[in-house]
């Protein structure tokens, strides 16, 4: 497994500082959050020359683009144009996938099943476009698919090799689903992981350093190992949720993730 972090950890840093500090604290990749004004500059509207220059800069630093993370919601009307643009950005930057949300079920519908007739064709279309560009579409366990049972049902219905899961270990538990049930449902579907401790609070997302929350972190990592997961453990926190400043937070997450992995006999390499 490898380590990455989302740029919400350092939203005001320019790309050069992100890469320098990411390498200094022994990360392997960066998950670039788009569409929210982060200073890194990697956005869907940059031109081909800029994409090439940024990709070369990242590669020269010895890092990868772990993911292009968007907040686009597939249940929103007329979303496909924006989704295509972000899939293209992911492919151009060498990312293995783009993170998307499903979003809440809109009124007057009461369940995801009631609106799947509209959602599934859109996801298949996104998967086909991603397949052309040799990248993936990852749906996060969040909102209407926070639970593994709902996420897995949707992935099976879409049934496309490029449409998979970004597993956020916090939200299924916050929605009352036991870890064992989540992992049994998502076995073989997980391509990217947002991995963090936090509080089991249904109404509020509270992320904490390892050991200060209520998430079964060691058991979660053991399940991922058992399933043969070898991708990124991506630290996702916002501003000061994880440390007094970005440097402290990046150092702490890198150290804690490696320490936890070591208790299970897993060595996360420094390079």
């Amino acid at each position: 497994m490898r380590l990455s972090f989302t740029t919400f950890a350092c939203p005001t840093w320019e790309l050069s500082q992100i890469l320098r500090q990411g390498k200094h604290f022994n990360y392997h990749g960066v998950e670039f959050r788009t569409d929210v004004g982060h200073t890194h500059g990697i956005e869907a509207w940059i031109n081909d020359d800029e994409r090439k220059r940024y990709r070369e800069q990242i590669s020269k630093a010895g890092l990868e683009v772990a993911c292009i993370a968007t907040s686009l919601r597939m249940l929103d009307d007329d979303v496909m144009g924006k989704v295509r643009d972000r899939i293209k950005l992911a492919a151009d930057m060498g990312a293995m996938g783009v993170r998307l949300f499903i979003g809440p079920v809109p009124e007057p519908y009461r369940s995801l099943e009631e609106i799947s007739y509209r959602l599934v064709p859109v996801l298949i279309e996104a998967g086909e476009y991603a397949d052309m560009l040799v990248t993936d579409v990852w749906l996060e366990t969040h909102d209407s698919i926070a639970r593994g049972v709902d996420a897995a049902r949707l992935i099976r219905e879409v049934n496309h090799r490029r449409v998979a899961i970004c597993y956020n270990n916090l939200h299924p538990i916050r929605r009352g689903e036991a870890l064992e049930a989540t992992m049994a449902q998502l076995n073989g579907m997980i391509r990217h992981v947002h991995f963090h401790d936090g509080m089991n609070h249904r109404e509020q997302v509270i992320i904490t350093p390892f050991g200060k929350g209520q998430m079964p972190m060691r058991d979660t990592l053991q399940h991922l190992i058992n399933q043969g997961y070898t991708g990124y453990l991506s630290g996702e926190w916002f501003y000061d949720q994880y440390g007094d400043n970005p440097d402290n937070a990046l150092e702490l997450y890198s150290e804690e993730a490696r320490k936890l992995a070591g208790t299970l006999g897993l060595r996360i390499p420094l390079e």
Side-chain angles (χ1 to χ4, degrees), residues 7-8 56 64 82-83 93 105-106 117 129 139 164-165 167 176 201 218 222 224-225 240:
T7 53
F8 262 119
E56 289 174 349
E64 298 178 332
K82 294 178 181 179
V83 169
M93 297 307 301
V105 175
Y117 74 92
Y129 187 66
L139 306 174
I165 291 296
Y167 168 55
H201 193 298
R218 191 174 190 274
Q222 184 66 70
L224 291 168
I225 293 170
D240 61 351

Side-chain angles (χ1 to χ4, degrees), residues 24-45:
H24 176 70
F25 292 120
N26 300 308
Y27 287 85
H28 308 99
V30 181
E31 181 171 342
F32 289 96
R33 183 64 158 83
T34 66
D35 307 300
V36 288
H38 290 182
T39 311
H40 53 70
I42 296 174
E43 302 286 355
W45 51 82

Side-chain angles (χ1 to χ4, degrees), residues 78-102:
D78 303 319
V79 73
M80 266 309 301
K82 294 178 181 179
V83 169
R84 283 175 172 265
D85 290 343
R86 276 80 184 160
I87 292 172
K88 179 66 162 56
L89 177 64
D92 288 345
M93 297 307 301
M96 294 183 64
V98 55
R99 186 282 304 274
L100 301 166
F101 294 125
I102 294 300

Side-chain angles (χ1 to χ4, degrees), residues 6 30 40 51-52 87 126 151 184-185 198-199 205 209 218 231 235-236:
T6 78
V30 181
H40 53 70
R51 294 175 190 221
K52 181 180 179 181
I87 292 172
Q185 290 287 340
M199 305 306 292
V205 177
R218 191 174 190 274
E236 184 188 38

Side-chain angles (χ1 to χ4, degrees), residues 174-244:
R174 290 181 56 241
R175 290 293 177 266
E177 187 176 62
L179 172 65
E180 292 74 16
T182 303
M183 300 307 288
Q185 290 287 340
L186 298 182
N187 194 357
M189 299 179 180
I190 298 172
R191 304 274 177 86
H192 189 66
V193 175
H194 286 169
F195 189 63
H196 40 233
D197 205 349
M199 305 306 292
N200 187 5
H201 193 298
R202 186 174 179 87
E203 303 304 325
Q204 187 177 2
V205 177
I206 304 173
I207 297 170
T208 71
F210 288 21
K212 295 187 177 180
Q214 298 172 318
M215 296 298 109
M217 301 299 291
R218 191 174 190 274
D219 289 346
T220 300
L221 185 56
Q222 184 66 70
H223 276 286
L224 291 168
I225 293 170
N226 293 347
Q227 292 188 11
Y229 178 75
T230 59
Y232 277 99
L233 300 176
S234 197
E236 184 188 38
W237 62 87
F238 306 95
Y239 311 112
D240 61 351
Q241 287 180 317
Y242 209 81
D244 294 333

Side-chain angles (χ1 to χ4, degrees), residues 33-79:
R33 183 64 158 83
T34 66
D35 307 300
V36 288
H38 290 182
T39 311
H40 53 70
I42 296 174
E43 302 286 355
W45 51 82
I46 62 175
N47 62 39
D48 289 344
D49 288 341
E50 291 171 309
R51 294 175 190 221
K52 181 180 179 181
R53 184 171 71 251
Y54 288 149
R55 183 169 178 174
E56 289 174 349
Q57 190 176 348
I58 294 165
S59 178
K60 187 175 180 180
L63 294 168
E64 298 178 332
V65 179
C67 174
I68 294 295
T70 83
S71 60
L72 296 178
R73 304 186 304 183
M74 300 302 292
L75 278 171
D76 288 351
D77 293 332
D78 303 319
V79 73

